[in-house]
Amino acid sequence: MALSRRMAASALLLLVLLVATEMGATTVKLAEARDCLSQSHKFKGACLSSSNCAAVCRTENFPDGECHTHNFARKCFCKRAC
């Protein structure tokens, strides 16, 4: 009798965890936004600081920017939601 209660409790816990995991996965997928990147036209030199890149991108009417490696060189890419 004690063994069957343990099995039932374990099965119920596993079911609750499975449902909770599935609910969390769908919530995350709905909240994802896609970002479009465009190389900055005004940033000069190697991009070593994403905050500097973001400041230059704001002068180009982008809300944000970040450094990325492109063909072995660090370049500033401006970012906005697609």
Side-chain angles (χ1 to χ4, degrees), residues 47-67:
C47 187
L48 302 175
S49 170
S50 287
S51 60
N52 289 344
C53 175
V56 172
C57 286
R58 282 191 284 277
T59 67
E60 297 180 39
N61 296 321
F62 282 88
D64 199 13
E66 55 191 26
C67 299

Side-chain angles (χ1 to χ4, degrees), residues 12-58:
L12 183 62
L13 179 63
L14 184 62
L15 180 65
V16 168
L17 287 174
L18 182 64
V19 169
T21 303
E22 287 299 318
M23 289 175 68
T26 55
T27 303
V28 171
K29 288 181 182 176
L30 293 176
E32 287 180 19
R34 208 172 131 214
D35 291 328
C36 289
L37 297 176
S38 175
Q39 188 174 344
S40 172
H41 295 285
K42 294 182 180 179
F43 193 91
K44 303 295 181 202
C47 187
L48 302 175
S49 170
S50 287
S51 60
N52 289 344
C53 175
V56 172
C57 286
R58 282 191 284 277

